[in-house]
Amino acid sequence: MPRQNRVQPDGQILAHPTRGAFMGNRGILHDASAHQHGQLTHRRWRHKAWVCCVLSFKNRQRQLMARNRYTELFFYDEAVALAAGHRPCAECRRADHKAFLAAADHSGSAPDFDEQLHTARAIPRVYGQNRPLAETASLPDATFILTDTGPALLLDDMALPFTPQGYATPIKRPQGTHPVLTPAPTRIALHNGFRPTLRLPAQLA
């Protein structure tokens, strides 16, 4: 049975068999029995340094949801990770981490940026995701918005509806005001040229 560790752009964490292209960390979100039942507690973070990591680094091996170890979270692609509030890891993705902070116009420390990002992405005490409204015309490519049918990735003149299995058939980019899932500090980085790794449908790749 799949474990509850697939993070969606709208902040949900599902049990789903689709493999992720990146891994993430928000601290220990499972309890001592999770290695057997694969479910999380009610918590959705334990610290503010939400990172997005590569799946393989220096031949390190991990047991999923091991006792007293951080919960391994997985993302379909990097745009999903960014929408959910993560940023590139400073250890396994050092170059991407530096490029991301520079594109976000941040010259301070990573913890300072994490504090800003957390304020933008999270609703305190309810473990919810902040979803401000914005005109889609003002949003950069690789931003996720929330439509009547669910999350969608903006790309050129298109929007790609997202499902746990991946991106569906592209539609015309919506007009008007929509809830935005990708946090504001991350959107600055996207505006300034940071390009996340996308797993696009074959016709767009």
Side-chain angles (χ1 to χ4, degrees), residues 39 54 71 80 104 140 146 157 170 173 184:
Q39 299 298 301
V54 293
T71 303
V80 171
L146 191 62
D157 60 350
R173 186 181 181 118

Side-chain angles (χ1 to χ4, degrees), residues 3-19:
R3 299 180 185 278
Q4 186 187 3
N5 57 15
R6 267 46 176 186
V7 183
Q8 306 301 292
D10 61 0
Q12 295 187 76
I13 305 179
L14 307 179
H16 197 274
T18 298
R19 289 186 60 82

Side-chain angles (χ1 to χ4, degrees), residues 6 25-26 54 71 77 90 115 124 147 152 171 174 181 187 191 197 203:
R6 267 46 176 186
N25 174 9
R26 301 181 186 178
V54 293
T71 303
D77 67 9
E115 188 74 35
T147 72
I171 60 174
L181 303 180
R187 298 200 307 272
H191 267 299
T197 301
Q203 67 269 31

Side-chain angles (χ1 to χ4, degrees), residues 7 13 24-29 44-47 50 73 84 86:
V7 183
I13 305 179
N25 174 9
R26 301 181 186 178
I28 301 174
L29 310 183
R44 289 299 175 264
W45 63 80
R46 287 281 193 170
H47 55 65
W50 298 11
L73 303 173
H86 290 244

Side-chain angles (χ1 to χ4, degrees), residues 9-11 26 45 48 50 81-87 100 104 111-124 127-133 144 179-189:
D10 61 0
R26 301 181 186 178
W45 63 80
K48 297 178 181 179
W50 298 11
L82 295 180
H86 290 244
R87 51 106 175 139
F100 179 82
D112 287 344
F113 181 81
D114 291 334
E115 188 74 35
Q116 296 173 24
L117 186 57
H118 192 74
T119 299
R121 72 191 168 205
I123 302 174
Y127 292 103
Q129 183 187 40
N130 193 14
R131 300 172 180 179
L133 297 175
F144 266 97
V180 184
L181 303 180
T182 306
T186 300
R187 298 200 307 272
I188 293 173

Side-chain angles (χ1 to χ4, degrees), residues 21-36:
F22 290 88
M23 187 179 75
N25 174 9
R26 301 181 186 178
I28 301 174
L29 310 183
H30 61 280
D31 59 23
S33 64
H35 188 63
Q36 283 73 41

Side-chain angles (χ1 to χ4, degrees), residues 48-128:
K48 297 178 181 179
W50 298 11
V51 296
C52 175
C53 302
V54 293
L55 298 181
S56 178
F57 182 65
K58 294 185 176 179
N59 296 317
R60 295 178 184 175
Q61 302 293 320
R62 295 185 62 86
Q63 181 186 48
L64 294 181
M65 292 187 175
R67 185 188 297 267
N68 298 323
R69 303 296 184 191
Y70 74 78
T71 303
E72 300 85 357
L73 303 173
F74 295 92
F75 314 99
Y76 182 77
D77 67 9
E78 190 175 11
V80 171
L82 295 180
H86 290 244
R87 51 106 175 139
C89 174
E91 182 181 12
C92 67
R93 302 183 59 202
R94 185 66 177 172
D96 290 335
H97 169 79
K98 294 173 68 175
F100 179 82
L101 291 188
D105 291 335
H106 182 77
S107 58
S109 67
D112 287 344
F113 181 81
D114 291 334
E115 188 74 35
Q116 296 173 24
L117 186 57
H118 192 74
T119 299
R121 72 191 168 205
I123 302 174
R125 293 181 294 278
V126 298
Y127 292 103

